C-alpha cells in the first residue's frame, strides 16, 4: 500500500526565551493511503507539531514532508491553499462558531471556497444526514451535547470532500460512550468514503478501537511504529508497554507471582504473552483432551482490536513433569512473543529462589 503522507528525517525546533525546544527529532514515518493510523504519545511528545507539519501550519526545521507525492516542506501560503482543502481537521475542543447554526458551521468552509448556494445546501444536507444531525440543523452549538458538537466538527471537516482527515485528540473531551460513537463514525468515514484517517491521541483505547497502524512518539522521537496487531503483540519500547498496560492484563509482577505460587502449590506457572485469542482457545481445547495435564488460568486479560483479539495469560499446570513441560512448550509456541517468553517455573524452584 502506497504512502499518502511521508515524513523523511523531519526535525522541528522552536526558539523560546528559555532556549531551543526540539519538538520533533529525526522522524521518518509513512501514513498509508486508505488506512486509519494513530499517533500516540504523552503530552509534549510532539504529536500536535506533527499534525501542523502535515497540514502546512508549520514548516520543518530539517527533513521533508511529502503529501500525495508533493514535497510541501517549503510551500508558501498560496501554494498550501489547495492542499488544505484536501485535508480535513477535527479538533479536541470542537472549534465551532457559537453564533452560527449547525448548518452554517458545516457550510462555512464551502462559503470560503466559493461554492454556490445550491451546491452548499446539497452538501450540508448530505453531511448532516451522514453524521445523524439533520434534525439539529438550525440549532446552535450551545444547545448540543459534546458528542453532537464533535459530529458537527466532523461534518465540517468533510465539507470539501477531503481525501485525508486529521483528528487531533478528537475524543479527549468526551465520555466513554460518546467516544465509542465518534470512533465508530470515523471507521465509517474510512470504510464508506475511502478517506485516510490520522488520529492523534494519548489514549491506547482509541488505538485499540480504530487503528490499522500505530506510531509511538516520545520526547519528539519516533520510538516504535507498525501494524497495530504487531505493536500490541510485540511492544519493544517501554513507553509502548506502559500504554498497553492501561488496557490489557500484563505479566504478573514479583509480588503477584509469589501470591499465585502460594495459591497453586505444586503447580507450574507458564506465561503466555501477546497471544491471539483464537489460537489460545484452540491450544487450551487441545490441552483439555490431554487428560494427564490439568490447567487453570490464574492471571491475565484479553482485548479486542480492529482485526481480532489479543491476550496475556498466566496458567497453572499440574501433572507429570514430562507432560507439563510438553504442554508449556506448546503454549509458549503460540505466543506472539514466544522467543522471549519466560519458560515454565516450578513452584518449588520459585520458593527456593
Amino acid at each position: 500500500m502506497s504512502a499518502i503522507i511521508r515524513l523523511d528525517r523531519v526535525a522541528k525546533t522552536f526558539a523560546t526565551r528559555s532556549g531551543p525546544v526540539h519538538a520533533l527529532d529525526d522522524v521518518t514515518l509513512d501514513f498509508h493511503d486508505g488506512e486509519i493510523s494513530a499517533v500516540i504519545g504523552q503530552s509534549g511528545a510532539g504529536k500536535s507539531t506533527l499534525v501542523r507539519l502535515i497540514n502546512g501550519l508549520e514548516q520543518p526545521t530539517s527533513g521533508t514532508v511529502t503529501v500525495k507525492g508533493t514535497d510541501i516542506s517549503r510551500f508558501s501560503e498560496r501554494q498550501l491553499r489547495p492542499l488544505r482543502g484536501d485535508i480535513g481537521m477535527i479538533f479536541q475542543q470542537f472549534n465551532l462558531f457559537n453564533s452560527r447554526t449547525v448548518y452554517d458551521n458545516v457550510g462555512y468552509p464551502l462559503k470560503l471556497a466559493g461554492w454556490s448556494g445550491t451546491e452548499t445546501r446539497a452538501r450540508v444536507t448530505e453531511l448532516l444526514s451522514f453524521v445523524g444531525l439533520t434534525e439539529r440543523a438550525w440549532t446552535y452549538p450551545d444547545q448540543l451535547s459534546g458528542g453532537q458538537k464533535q459530529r458537527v466538527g466532523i461534518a465540517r471537516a468533510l465539507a470539501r470532500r477531503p481525501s485525508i482527515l486529521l483528528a487531533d485528540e478528537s475524543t479527549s473531551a468526551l465520555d466513554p460512550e460518546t467516544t465509542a460513537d465518534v470512533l465508530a463514525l470515523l471507521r465509517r468515514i474510512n470504510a464508506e468514503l475511502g478517506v485516510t484517517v490520522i488520529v492523534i491521541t494519548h489514549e491506547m483505547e482509541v488505538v485499540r478501537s480504530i487503528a490499522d497502524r500505530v506510531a509511538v512518539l516520545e520526547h519528539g522521537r519516533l520510538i516504535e511504529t507498525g501494524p497495530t496487531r504487531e505493536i500490541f503483540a510485540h511492544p519493544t519500547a517501554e513507553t509502548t508497554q506502559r500504554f498497553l498496560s492501561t488496557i490489557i492484563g500484563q505479566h504478573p509482577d514479583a509480588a503477584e507471582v509469589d501470591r499465585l505460587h502460594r495459591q497453586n502449590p505444586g503447580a507450574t506457572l507458564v506465561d503466555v504473552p501477546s497471544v491471539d485469542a483464537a489460537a489460545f482457545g484452540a491450544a487450551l481445547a487441545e490441552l483439555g483432551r490431554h487428560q494427564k495435564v490439568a490447567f487453570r488460568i490464574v492471571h491475565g486479560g484479553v482485548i479486542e482490536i480492529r482485526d481480532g483479539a489479543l491476550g496475556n495469560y498466566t496458567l497453572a499446570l499440574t501433572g507429570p513433569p514430562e507432560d507439563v513441560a510438553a504442554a508449556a512448550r506448546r503454549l509458549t509456541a503460540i505466543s506472539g512473543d514466544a522467543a522471549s517468553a519466560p519458560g515454565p517455573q516450578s513452584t518449588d524452584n520459585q520458593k527456593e529462589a
Side-chain angles (χ1 to χ4, degrees):
M1 190 170 291
S2 61
I4 192 170
I5 299 169
R6 171 166 292 166
L7 281 71
D8 186 15
R9 306 203 67 177
V10 165
K12 180 62 180 180
T13 301
F14 294 98
T16 70
R17 290 182 178 180
S18 56
V21 174
H22 303 291
L24 291 174
D25 182 11
D26 197 29
V27 172
T28 295
L29 179 62
D30 286 352
F31 295 99
H32 293 252
D33 190 13
E35 289 190 340
I36 300 179
S37 298
V39 179
I40 189 167
Q42 298 289 6
S43 178
K47 307 186 301 296
S48 293
T49 299
L50 186 146
V51 167
R52 292 174 66 83
L53 290 172
I54 291 174
N55 62 20
L57 292 176
E58 298 284 354
Q59 293 183 338
T61 304
S62 61
T64 59
V65 179
T66 304
V67 178
K68 300 180 76 170
T70 300
D71 180 2
I72 67 165
S73 306
R74 303 293 179 265
F75 266 23
S76 67
E77 282 296 313
R78 182 183 60 80
Q79 291 173 306
L80 285 168
R81 285 189 198 116
L83 167 78
R84 289 179 181 152
D86 197 35
I87 299 178
M89 186 77 185
I90 310 169
F91 302 92
Q92 178 181 358
Q93 299 299 335
F94 319 129
N95 285 20
L96 303 180
F97 297 110
N98 289 324
S99 61
R100 297 175 183 264
T101 64
V102 166
Y103 180 98
D104 289 332
N105 268 281
V106 175
Y108 185 71
L110 303 180
K111 180 180 179 180
L112 292 180
W115 286 40
S116 71
T118 300
E119 291 173 318
T120 296
R121 282 192 295 274
R123 182 59 176 161
V124 173
T125 300
E126 176 188 11
L127 287 168
L128 291 180
S129 175
F130 185 83
V131 301
L133 290 176
T134 299
E135 296 180 356
R136 310 293 283 178
W138 304 112
T139 58
Y140 290 86
D142 61 3
Q143 298 171 290
L144 303 177
S145 68
Q148 288 171 332
K149 290 177 182 178
Q150 195 55 285
R151 285 175 178 268
V152 176
I154 291 172
R156 181 185 57 190
L158 293 173
R160 295 179 62 183
R161 296 189 174 91
S163 62
I164 300 167
L165 186 62
L166 306 178
D168 190 3
E169 299 282 7
S170 57
T171 61
S172 296
L174 305 177
D175 61 70
E177 183 176 353
T178 306
T179 291
D181 290 341
V182 169
L183 294 179
L185 180 57
L186 292 177
R187 286 195 297 269
R188 186 176 162 215
I189 289 167
N190 173 252
E192 295 182 18
L193 306 182
V195 175
T196 300
V197 180
I198 300 174
V199 177
I200 307 300
T201 185
H202 65 275
E203 301 171 296
M204 208 62 169
E205 181 66 27
V206 172
V207 179
R208 176 197 71 79
S209 300
I210 198 172
D212 299 302
R213 290 178 179 268
V214 59
V216 185
L217 291 179
E218 183 178 46
H219 303 309
R221 296 190 65 87
L222 179 66
I223 60 173
E224 197 152 15
T225 186
T228 300
R229 171 175 284 275
E230 180 180 311
I231 296 300
F232 275 47
H234 306 271
T236 59
E238 183 179 345
T239 296
T240 311
Q241 293 167 5
R242 285 200 304 270
F243 275 122
L244 283 170
S245 70
T246 64
I247 61 171
I248 183 172
Q250 297 297 290
H251 309 314
D253 58 20
E256 179 68 3
V257 168
D258 187 59
R259 185 186 69 80
L260 292 174
H261 277 296
R262 291 196 306 272
Q263 290 183 342
N264 299 275
T268 295
L269 297 185
V270 180
D271 284 339
V272 188
S274 305
V275 65
D276 178 84
F280 182 69
L284 291 187
E286 180 183 334
L287 189 59
R289 291 191 292 269
H290 196 328
Q291 298 301 318
K292 293 182 180 180
V293 177
F295 66 88
R296 289 178 58 221
I297 300 175
V298 295
H299 187 274
V302 63
I303 58 166
E304 294 287 335
I305 58 176
R306 194 173 184 191
D307 62 348
L310 289 173
N312 287 330
Y313 305 94
T314 301
L315 285 83
L317 306 181
T318 56
E322 314 83 44
D323 296 296
V324 167
R329 288 193 297 271
R330 171 72 182 97
L331 290 167
T332 55
I334 64 168
S335 169
D337 195 18
S340 60
Q345 303 172 7
S346 72
T347 303
D348 292 340
N349 288 342
Q350 176 70 16
K351 287 180 178 178
E352 290 174 1

Short mmCIF file of all heavy atoms in Angstrom, two decimals, residues 10-40:
data_model
loop_
_atom_site.label_atom_id
_atom_site.label_comp_id
_atom_site.label_asym_id
_atom_site.label_seq_id
_atom_site.Cartn_x
_atom_site.Cartn_y
_atom_site.Cartn_z
N VAL A 10 12.43 14.19 9.60
CA VAL A 10 11.89 15.51 9.94
C VAL A 10 12.30 15.90 11.36
O VAL A 10 12.19 15.13 12.31
CB VAL A 10 10.36 15.50 9.82
CG1 VAL A 10 9.74 16.71 10.52
CG2 VAL A 10 9.96 15.47 8.34
N ALA A 11 12.75 17.14 11.48
CA ALA A 11 13.02 17.75 12.79
C ALA A 11 12.32 19.10 12.82
O ALA A 11 12.20 19.78 11.80
CB ALA A 11 14.51 17.92 13.02
N LYS A 12 11.84 19.46 14.01
CA LYS A 12 11.24 20.77 14.20
C LYS A 12 11.69 21.33 15.54
O LYS A 12 11.49 20.72 16.59
CB LYS A 12 9.71 20.69 14.18
CG LYS A 12 9.02 22.03 14.38
CD LYS A 12 9.36 23.03 13.28
CE LYS A 12 8.67 24.37 13.48
NZ LYS A 12 8.99 25.33 12.40
N THR A 13 12.35 22.49 15.47
CA THR A 13 12.87 23.15 16.67
C THR A 13 12.23 24.53 16.78
O THR A 13 12.18 25.27 15.80
CB THR A 13 14.39 23.28 16.61
OG1 THR A 13 14.98 21.98 16.50
CG2 THR A 13 14.92 23.96 17.87
N PHE A 14 11.73 24.83 17.98
CA PHE A 14 11.16 26.15 18.25
C PHE A 14 12.12 26.95 19.12
O PHE A 14 12.68 26.41 20.09
CB PHE A 14 9.81 26.02 18.96
CG PHE A 14 8.74 25.37 18.13
CD1 PHE A 14 8.45 24.01 18.28
CD2 PHE A 14 8.02 26.11 17.20
CE1 PHE A 14 7.47 23.41 17.53
CE2 PHE A 14 7.02 25.51 16.44
CZ PHE A 14 6.75 24.16 16.60
N ALA A 15 12.29 28.21 18.77
CA ALA A 15 13.11 29.11 19.60
C ALA A 15 12.23 29.72 20.69
O ALA A 15 11.18 30.29 20.39
CB ALA A 15 13.72 30.20 18.74
N THR A 16 12.63 29.56 21.94
CA THR A 16 11.89 30.14 23.06
C THR A 16 12.84 30.98 23.90
O THR A 16 14.07 30.93 23.73
CB THR A 16 11.26 29.04 23.94
OG1 THR A 16 12.30 28.35 24.64
CG2 THR A 16 10.48 28.06 23.10
N ARG A 17 12.28 31.74 24.83
CA ARG A 17 13.10 32.58 25.69
C ARG A 17 14.06 31.76 26.54
O ARG A 17 15.16 32.21 26.89
CB ARG A 17 12.21 33.42 26.60
CG ARG A 17 11.43 34.50 25.86
CD ARG A 17 10.60 35.33 26.83
NE ARG A 17 9.88 36.40 26.14
CZ ARG A 17 9.09 37.27 26.75
NH1 ARG A 17 8.91 37.19 28.08
NH2 ARG A 17 8.47 38.21 26.05
N SER A 18 13.65 30.55 26.86
CA SER A 18 14.50 29.69 27.69
C SER A 18 15.42 28.80 26.86
O SER A 18 16.13 27.96 27.41
CB SER A 18 13.63 28.82 28.60
OG SER A 18 12.71 28.07 27.84
N GLY A 19 15.40 28.99 25.54
CA GLY A 19 16.28 28.20 24.69
C GLY A 19 15.49 27.39 23.68
O GLY A 19 14.25 27.40 23.67
N PRO A 20 16.19 26.68 22.79
CA PRO A 20 15.50 25.91 21.75
C PRO A 20 14.73 24.71 22.33
O PRO A 20 15.17 24.08 23.29
CB PRO A 20 16.65 25.43 20.85
CG PRO A 20 17.86 25.43 21.74
CD PRO A 20 17.65 26.56 22.70
N VAL A 21 13.56 24.45 21.75
CA VAL A 21 12.74 23.30 22.12
C VAL A 21 12.66 22.39 20.90
O VAL A 21 12.17 22.81 19.84
CB VAL A 21 11.34 23.72 22.57
CG1 VAL A 21 10.47 22.49 22.81
CG2 VAL A 21 11.42 24.57 23.83
N HIS A 22 13.14 21.16 21.04
CA HIS A 22 13.14 20.20 19.93
C HIS A 22 11.84 19.40 19.98
O HIS A 22 11.73 18.38 20.66
CB HIS A 22 14.35 19.29 20.03
CG HIS A 22 15.66 20.03 20.06
ND1 HIS A 22 16.15 20.70 18.95
CD2 HIS A 22 16.55 20.23 21.06
CE1 HIS A 22 17.30 21.27 19.28
NE2 HIS A 22 17.57 21.01 20.54
N ALA A 23 10.83 19.88 19.23
CA ALA A 23 9.51 19.24 19.25
C ALA A 23 9.52 17.90 18.52
O ALA A 23 8.85 16.95 18.94
CB ALA A 23 8.47 20.17 18.64
N LEU A 24 10.26 17.82 17.42
CA LEU A 24 10.43 16.57 16.67
C LEU A 24 11.89 16.41 16.31
O LEU A 24 12.56 17.39 15.98
CB LEU A 24 9.57 16.56 15.40
CG LEU A 24 8.05 16.50 15.58
CD1 LEU A 24 7.35 16.65 14.23
CD2 LEU A 24 7.63 15.20 16.25
N ASP A 25 12.36 15.16 16.35
CA ASP A 25 13.78 14.91 16.15
C ASP A 25 13.96 13.68 15.27
O ASP A 25 13.72 12.55 15.70
CB ASP A 25 14.45 14.70 17.52
CG ASP A 25 15.95 14.47 17.41
OD1 ASP A 25 16.51 14.68 16.31
OD2 ASP A 25 16.56 14.08 18.43
N ASP A 26 14.33 13.93 13.98
CA ASP A 26 14.69 12.86 13.06
C ASP A 26 13.57 11.82 12.90
O ASP A 26 13.79 10.61 13.03
CB ASP A 26 15.98 12.18 13.51
CG ASP A 26 16.63 11.36 12.40
OD1 ASP A 26 16.45 11.72 11.22
OD2 ASP A 26 17.30 10.36 12.72
N VAL A 27 12.37 12.29 12.62
CA VAL A 27 11.21 11.40 12.48
C VAL A 27 11.03 11.01 11.02
O VAL A 27 10.87 11.86 10.15
CB VAL A 27 9.93 12.09 13.00
CG1 VAL A 27 8.70 11.23 12.68
CG2 VAL A 27 10.04 12.33 14.50
N THR A 28 11.07 9.72 10.77
CA THR A 28 10.75 9.17 9.45
C THR A 28 9.53 8.27 9.60
O THR A 28 9.56 7.29 10.36
CB THR A 28 11.93 8.38 8.87
OG1 THR A 28 13.04 9.28 8.64
CG2 THR A 28 11.55 7.71 7.56
N LEU A 29 8.46 8.59 8.88
CA LEU A 29 7.19 7.91 9.11
C LEU A 29 6.31 8.01 7.87
O LEU A 29 6.20 9.08 7.26
CB LEU A 29 6.49 8.57 10.31
CG LEU A 29 5.13 8.03 10.74
CD1 LEU A 29 5.22 6.57 11.16
CD2 LEU A 29 4.57 8.87 11.88
N ASP A 30 5.68 6.89 7.51
CA ASP A 30 4.73 6.85 6.39
C ASP A 30 3.31 6.65 6.92
O ASP A 30 3.09 5.88 7.86
CB ASP A 30 5.05 5.70 5.44
CG ASP A 30 6.28 5.96 4.58
OD1 ASP A 30 6.79 7.09 4.62
OD2 ASP A 30 6.72 5.02 3.89
N PHE A 31 2.36 7.34 6.28
CA PHE A 31 0.94 7.10 6.52
C PHE A 31 0.37 6.54 5.23
O PHE A 31 0.52 7.15 4.16
CB PHE A 31 0.23 8.39 6.92
CG PHE A 31 0.69 8.94 8.24
CD1 PHE A 31 1.63 9.97 8.28
CD2 PHE A 31 0.21 8.43 9.43
CE1 PHE A 31 2.06 10.49 9.49
CE2 PHE A 31 0.65 8.93 10.65
CZ PHE A 31 1.57 9.95 10.68
N HIS A 32 -0.30 5.41 5.32
CA HIS A 32 -0.71 4.67 4.14
C HIS A 32 -2.09 5.07 3.65
O HIS A 32 -3.02 5.25 4.45
CB HIS A 32 -0.65 3.17 4.41
CG HIS A 32 0.73 2.66 4.63
ND1 HIS A 32 1.41 1.89 3.71
CD2 HIS A 32 1.60 2.84 5.66
CE1 HIS A 32 2.61 1.59 4.16
NE2 HIS A 32 2.75 2.17 5.34
N ASP A 33 -2.23 5.15 2.34
CA ASP A 33 -3.47 5.54 1.70
C ASP A 33 -4.59 4.57 2.06
O ASP A 33 -4.44 3.36 1.97
CB ASP A 33 -3.27 5.57 0.18
CG ASP A 33 -4.42 6.19 -0.56
OD1 ASP A 33 -5.27 6.84 0.08
OD2 ASP A 33 -4.48 6.05 -1.80
N GLY A 34 -5.74 5.12 2.50
CA GLY A 34 -6.91 4.32 2.77
C GLY A 34 -6.94 3.67 4.13
O GLY A 34 -7.89 2.95 4.45
N GLU A 35 -5.94 3.90 4.97
CA GLU A 35 -5.89 3.29 6.29
C GLU A 35 -6.26 4.30 7.38
O GLU A 35 -6.31 5.50 7.15
CB GLU A 35 -4.50 2.73 6.58
CG GLU A 35 -4.15 1.50 5.78
CD GLU A 35 -2.86 0.84 6.27
OE1 GLU A 35 -2.05 1.51 6.95
OE2 GLU A 35 -2.67 -0.34 5.95
N ILE A 36 -6.51 3.76 8.58
CA ILE A 36 -6.61 4.58 9.78
C ILE A 36 -5.33 4.39 10.57
O ILE A 36 -5.00 3.27 10.96
CB ILE A 36 -7.82 4.20 10.64
CG1 ILE A 36 -9.12 4.35 9.84
CG2 ILE A 36 -7.87 5.05 11.91
CD1 ILE A 36 -10.37 3.97 10.63
N SER A 37 -4.60 5.47 10.76
CA SER A 37 -3.36 5.42 11.53
C SER A 37 -3.53 6.22 12.81
O SER A 37 -4.26 7.22 12.84
CB SER A 37 -2.19 6.01 10.71
OG SER A 37 -1.96 5.25 9.54
N ALA A 38 -2.86 5.79 13.85
CA ALA A 38 -2.88 6.51 15.13
C ALA A 38 -1.47 6.90 15.50
O ALA A 38 -0.53 6.12 15.33
CB ALA A 38 -3.50 5.64 16.23
N VAL A 39 -1.32 8.12 16.00
CA VAL A 39 -0.06 8.59 16.57
C VAL A 39 -0.31 8.81 18.05
O VAL A 39 -1.16 9.62 18.42
CB VAL A 39 0.42 9.89 15.90
CG1 VAL A 39 1.72 10.36 16.55
CG2 VAL A 39 0.60 9.69 14.40
N ILE A 40 0.41 8.08 18.89
CA ILE A 40 0.16 8.14 20.32
C ILE A 40 1.41 8.60 21.06
O ILE A 40 2.54 8.30 20.64
CB ILE A 40 -0.32 6.77 20.86
CG1 ILE A 40 -0.80 6.90 22.32
CG2 ILE A 40 0.75 5.70 20.72
CD1 ILE A 40 -1.56 5.69 22.81
#
